[in-house]
Structure formats: C-alpha cells, structure tokens
Amino acid sequence: MSDHLALAHQYMDGVASGAVPACKWTRLAVDRQLADLARPISTDWPWTFDAQRAVRPCEFIELLPHIKGKWAREGRLIELVGWQCFILTTVFGWVHRDTGLRRFREVYIEVPRKNAKSTLSSGVALYMLTADGEHGAEVYSAATTRDQARIVFDDARGMAERSPGLRYHCGLAIMQHSLTVAQTSSKFAPLAAEGSTLDGLNVHFAVIDELHAHKTRAVYDVIDTARGAREQSLLWNITTAGTDRSGICYERRTHVTKVLGGVVDDPALFGVVYTLDEADDPFDRAAWAKANPNWGVSVLPDDMEAAARKAEAMPSALNNFLTKRLDVWVSGESPWMDMRAWDKCGAPALRDLSAFAGRPAWIGLDLAQKKDFAAASLVFQDDDGRWCVCTRLYLNELAIQESGNAHLAGWARQGYVSVTDGDLTDFDVVADDLRQLCRDFDVQEIAFDPALSMYFAGKLIEEGLPLVEIQQRSMFFTQPLLQIENMVLEGLLRHDANPVMAWMVSNLVVKVSKFNELRAPTKERPENKIDGPIAMLMALGRALAAQPAGDLDDYLASFAPAPA
C-alpha cells in the first residue's frame, strides 16, 4: 500500500520546485497547504494536521476496484497518484484542535475530462457513507438531470458490487437506486433537480457533478443550506470549465481564486484549478500536463494529439477542446473576444476620469427600460495614443432582484452598476451622466439607436448635446468588430476593468453573413446581456471612422515590432 503522505509531499515539492508542470492556481493551492503546515497553532489558527485522519480515505479508496476499461478487465484496484493524495490528505487531514472536527466544509476541483475525477469522487462518497463514522449519514450525487447525477452514483455502486467487504463488514445494501447501511441508518442516492423538490434533506456529503452545466444556482443552494445540522458535512464540487460566466460555477471558481490569491480568507474552503496559464498556447504540447494532472495515466498523449488536430482543423471543435481537455473557460459557442486578451487590457485607473478631462471623446448609447441594461460607453485616446474605453451601466432594482446572474447583486453593491429605483430604468440618471460627460470632455458625438431612444434623444438634442443616429446593422458593426478585436489581441486598447463589462463581452458572439461576410453582434440566450459591448462598438465605430485613414494605419503600425 502506498505511503500517501509521502506521495502528497512529493507532489507538492514537485509543483513548488517546477519539476511538476502546474498552472498558477495549482501552485497557489500547493503553496497554501505548505504555508498552513508551517503555521503554529494560535487563537487565530485553531487547526492541526492529523496524519492518521489524512490518509484514511486514501487507504479506503485504494481498496476499491476499477470498474471501467483496461484496468477493470485486469481486476486492478485503484492506485492513487500524487495530485489525488494531495487533495485527499489536505481535505481530510485538517481538524480543529479542540473539537476534532474537520476544517474543510467545501471542496472545489476544476479539472479536464479523463482525469478520473468521477472515480475519485465515487470513492470519497463510499468512504463518507461507510467509514466516516457519521450516523444517519445522507450522501448524495447531485446534478441538474438524473442521468448526470447517476454518473458518480453508478460508479460507486459498481465499486460496491465488486467489494464484498463493504457488504460483510459494513452491512452495505446495494439496490438499483440507493446504497444503504442499516446499522448507521445511512444512505447514498442520486439526486436531480428534475422530478424532485429537493426539500427535507440533511446532507452529510454531496457531490455536485459538472457544476458548470448548472444553469441556475438552485441545486447548489439547496444542498448548501441542507448541511446546517451536520457538524462536519462536506460539499464536493467537481467540474470542467464552461462558457457561462454568470452561473454558480464561475461564481464559486472566482471565490476559489480569490482565496488562493490571498484576497479573501476562507479557511473552510479547499479549491484547486488545473488549467493553462494565460500566456500558454493551447496547442503547445508541453503545456498540456499543467491542465491534466493524470497526464500519462488516464490522459494519454496520443488521444490529446488527436483532439488537438481536430481543434486546429475544425474551428467548431476548438471550444470543446479548450473547455473539456484543457479546462479553459471560453466566451460562448462562437465567441467574439479572447477573454484572456481582454482581461490583460484592463486598467482600473481609467475609472478616475478626472485625470483625462478635456480630451476629445465619443460616446455610444444603448438604452433599455426593463430587463436589459442601459449603457453609455465613453472612448478617448490617452497620452500614448491608445484608445481607452470606460462604460457606465444602469439597471433597475427589480431586474437585479429577478436576475439569474449570481454575481449581479454583488456587482451592484460594489458600484459597477448604477441601480435605479423601481421596475424601470430611470433615463434621467443616464441623461444627467451624459450632460456631465459633455462638460468634462470634448464630446464629438453621442451615437444612439433611434429605434429605442428617439424621444429620449430628442430632448438632449434640444439641449445641444451632439447626438448622432446609428442604425444597429451589420453594415455599421462589421468594421468595429474586426478592429476592436485586433486592437485587444495586440494590446492596443485599454478599458476600465469593469467585471460586468467583461461578462457582457464574454457573452457577445458574432453572426457572419454567408453572402457578403458582414458581421453582426448577437447573443446566444436572452440572459446573456451584451448592452455594454454594443455601446462600446457604437462609440469606437464612430471614433475610428472619424480618423483619417492614414492616421489609423500609422497608429497601428506604430506598435508593430521593429524588423529583425
């Protein structure tokens, strides 16, 4: 049997030294554990590492058989590798010095497919059902659909059927839709949002599988709130990357990265993300092991090579390769913007517009009254001649309350969205901001769509504001879509790092005409708002069109690398 603590420390030392390929978030997760192990017990740090409890789930899982593929045919038992021992010993090893209760109450593991995350999770679920010492334990595999919920459950059931010791020594009863232990009144069952009220739960352990596929936060919230009566319940989230940055998965991922980055202190949360670093080329074979900790074990180089060739040859396969094989979050099924490049262009200092007062500027205006945002995007050039984008977003309080975006209320509290009273967005607030911007800047034009805002615009035109009608058609949008994308990829644009705007940019997809290659911005679902980017496209479209052709060419050429 393996020395699981030695394997865990060998893995951590390899990550820390660079011998084991790892991304930023994996390195930070390892650094966190190494730092915690070095901390002395104090009033602020009541946790101690219990080596015996750390290895118990590892020892248990290695007594379970493989149930699929070659290793199942050969009758082999599960053999844990370093990264799995690191996770298990960290999660189960930390206990309170006085009560002996576990420190970690929630786990978030983000890792690509084929890294045996369902096998690991099934083993942990069986351990929590039969060997954790909890009476009346309720263990669930939860998902949005019953088929998805059964993946982890069916794997655990298959392991149990091939493990007579669980029946003879633990009294485990195996049924089609549940596993039970009569002597402790414990049970394990799949749990799906469909066909179930999800009420009346008393959760000791729950696996939420493929969290990125959850379109609402209902399952997560029900499971999370159903753990209150348990002293050391554990919520185990496993997922690959996805496309929905407004959902519960990306919310939890964001929280995990803040904890790993030291921005937020949450000692009850364990999280690790296996992905690429921002600068990595997804087709660089040397980077693939960063995202796939089971590289060479269950993730085979030949299979990855085949998937990469398909992604390179077929653009429609690229997003699937990025999300499922490399755990890279993408913007949508047919994304406009490379979000990693967009994030690199963020400049929070732009939020203080007073430093740029008096400059020539253009404004794009996209208005909506009920569930969509109103947006005003200001663009101007800085001292280096780079185009800068600052976007103000407005939404009424009812729309925020009813929104399915898990982040929106927090963004509003942080001031990234201007909230107006009632159930309609107050255009007077927008008008006041436009008047102030015109006083602070030399505003050349305010581009607006007359289909949505003619009456509103008429009042401002009477006041002398320079409003210009823009029909939101592909003939206008094609050039701004191409130019802004290129500017972002080249690092020639700056924006004010508003996370709501980033979410909207990630939602925007481009529809290309088959007849004339004209492009139009659109969104895949009504909840994927794109009002801010539309305002930006209008503003920068007019600003770039106002530049003499030679000026724009010279501007782009000035940033080109000098010839070797």
Side-chain angles (χ1 to χ4, degrees):
M1 188 172 289
S2 304
D3 184 340
H4 302 102
L5 279 178
L7 281 174
H9 279 279
Q10 182 181 355
Y11 173 77
M12 289 190 290
D13 291 343
V15 169
S17 68
V20 173
C23 73
K24 169 186 177 180
W25 305 118
T26 306
R27 294 193 300 271
L28 288 175
V30 166
D31 290 347
R32 184 191 188 200
Q33 170 69 346
L34 292 173
D36 288 349
L37 289 170
R39 291 180 68 171
I41 294 178
S42 65
T43 303
D44 297 330
W45 186 252
W47 311 106
T48 183
F49 190 79
D50 187 326
Q52 184 176 1
R53 291 184 64 171
V55 301
R56 281 191 67 200
C58 301
E59 295 170 344
F60 178 91
I61 291 172
E62 287 199 336
L63 296 174
L64 300 173
H66 285 282
I67 61 167
K68 295 177 181 177
K70 177 182 69 172
W71 296 335
R73 286 197 308 273
E74 296 172 356
R76 291 172 58 176
L77 299 179
I78 295 171
E79 296 179 25
L80 298 173
V81 293
W83 72 280
Q84 295 167 322
C85 292
F86 158 65
I87 290 173
L88 291 172
T89 56
T90 302
V91 171
F92 286 90
W94 287 102
V95 296
H96 195 280
R97 63 176 178 180
D98 298 325
T99 65
L101 298 176
R102 275 191 297 269
R103 163 190 169 186
F104 290 110
R105 301 289 302 275
E106 182 174 358
V107 171
Y108 180 92
I109 303 171
E110 190 178 293
V111 65
R113 288 181 178 174
K114 299 184 179 292
N115 282 275
K117 63 180 181 295
S118 293
T119 299
L120 180 65
S121 301
S122 300
V124 174
L126 283 174
Y127 174 82
M128 297 293 285
L129 174 69
T130 63
D132 197 42
E134 183 78 5
H135 283 258
E138 292 184 18
V139 175
Y140 297 103
S141 171
T144 56
T145 66
R146 186 159 298 277
D147 287 344
Q148 185 68 44
R150 287 199 68 98
I151 292 175
V152 169
F153 173 79
D154 285 343
D155 282 0
R157 184 172 175 272
M159 293 174 185
E161 288 175 333
R162 293 164 177 77
S163 305
L166 289 176
R167 296 195 296 274
Y168 299 145
H169 299 295
C170 300
L172 181 67
I174 303 172
M175 291 168 280
Q176 184 67 28
H177 304 296
S178 67
L179 305 177
T180 62
V181 180
Q183 63 191 40
T184 60
S185 301
S186 300
K187 69 173 182 179
F188 176 20
L191 186 69
E194 60 180 24
S196 173
T197 62
L198 301 181
D199 291 333
L201 304 179
N202 187 357
V203 177
H204 176 56
F205 177 79
V207 179
I208 300 185
D209 195 12
E210 295 297 2
L211 188 60
H212 78 274
H214 291 232
K215 297 187 184 303
T216 73
R217 57 182 304 133
V219 173
Y220 176 90
D221 284 346
V222 168
I223 295 293
D224 191 35
T225 56
R227 302 185 299 134
R230 300 283 182 173
E231 290 182 311
Q232 51 179 2
S233 63
L234 186 59
L235 176 53
W236 186 275
N237 302 293
I238 57 173
T239 190
T240 59
T243 63
D244 184 4
R245 292 179 179 231
S246 70
I248 181 61
C249 186
Y250 203 78
E251 176 188 302
R252 299 313 299 155
R253 184 192 200 274
T254 300
H255 184 62
V256 165
T257 57
K258 288 182 178 180
V259 171
L260 295 177
V263 178
V264 173
D265 182 29
D266 188 349
L269 172 68
F270 171 86
V272 63
V273 176
Y274 292 95
T275 184
L276 301 183
D277 285 311
E278 288 186 358
D280 289 334
D281 179 354
F283 295 108
D284 178 4
R285 276 63 174 164
W288 290 348
K290 285 184 178 182
N292 292 279
N294 246 30
W295 183 255
V297 181
S298 61
V299 180
L300 304 180
D302 288 349
D303 184 53
M304 281 290 292
E305 289 278 359
R309 286 194 297 270
K310 182 178 179 181
E312 286 183 296
M314 300 173 57
S316 60
L318 177 60
N319 279 356
N320 192 65
F321 177 71
L322 292 174
T323 56
K324 307 311 178 192
R325 298 301 190 110
L326 296 174
D327 197 64
V328 174
W329 283 79
V330 298
S331 306
E333 298 306 321
S334 304
W336 169 51
M337 185 61 67
D338 180 336
M339 290 309 298
R340 292 189 294 178
W342 174 265
D343 291 341
K344 288 180 181 178
C345 293
L350 291 176
R351 296 171 193 166
D352 181 11
L353 291 176
S354 62
F356 308 97
R359 296 176 185 267
W362 286 258
I363 296 175
L365 186 63
D366 189 64
L367 295 181
Q369 280 195 315
K370 292 189 177 181
K371 295 185 178 180
D372 285 336
F373 289 76
S377 189
L378 175 83
V379 303
F380 57 88
Q381 289 183 292
D382 63 13
D383 292 335
D384 296 322
R386 296 175 187 264
W387 284 102
C388 302
V389 179
C390 301
T391 304
R392 296 185 178 180
L393 299 163
Y394 309 83
L395 193 60
N396 62 80
E397 59 182 355
L398 181 63
I400 290 178
Q401 293 170 7
E402 295 181 347
S403 172
N405 187 323
H407 296 287
L408 191 50
W411 284 334
R413 286 194 298 271
Q414 293 172 297
Y416 294 116
V417 180
S418 296
V419 183
T420 66
D421 296 336
D423 59 355
L424 294 176
T425 301
D426 188 348
F427 284 179
D428 288 340
V429 176
V430 181
D432 287 344
D433 282 351
L434 291 175
R435 295 182 186 104
Q436 186 63 51
L437 289 173
C438 288
R439 287 192 288 268
D440 293 341
F441 286 83
D442 180 13
V443 175
Q444 306 296 299
E445 295 179 355
I446 301 175
F448 74 100
D449 181 0
L452 296 175
S453 50
M454 197 62 234
Y455 174 74
F456 171 83
K459 293 168 55 180
L460 296 180
I461 291 172
E462 290 177 0
E463 296 179 23
L465 272 65
L467 274 78
V468 176
E469 295 183 17
I470 299 296
Q471 299 289 339
Q472 292 192 2
R473 295 174 180 170
S474 55
M475 185 67 73
F476 169 79
F477 281 123
T478 297
Q479 283 303 311
L481 283 167
L482 292 171
Q483 290 171 322
I484 294 172
E485 181 182 11
N486 289 333
M487 289 163 65
V488 170
L489 291 174
E490 295 295 326
L492 308 183
L493 180 143
R494 301 170 70 208
H495 59 78
D496 57 357
N498 185 322
V500 193
M501 183 66 167
W503 165 62
M504 290 181 175
V505 170
S506 77
N507 292 335
L508 193 148
V509 297
V510 177
K511 183 178 180 181
V512 182
S513 170
K514 296 180 180 179
F515 303 104
N516 51 22
E517 295 297 314
L518 292 178
R519 289 161 164 77
T522 186
K523 55 189 177 184
E524 296 173 307
R525 299 192 298 271
E527 60 268 25
N528 288 359
K529 308 303 183 184
I530 59 172
D531 310 281
I534 293 297
M536 175 184 68
L537 287 164
M538 295 171 71
L540 263 173
R542 293 299 295 173
L544 294 172
Q547 309 303 305
D551 291 352
L552 182 58
D553 292 341
D554 293 343
Y555 165 70
L556 294 173
S558 68
F559 292 95

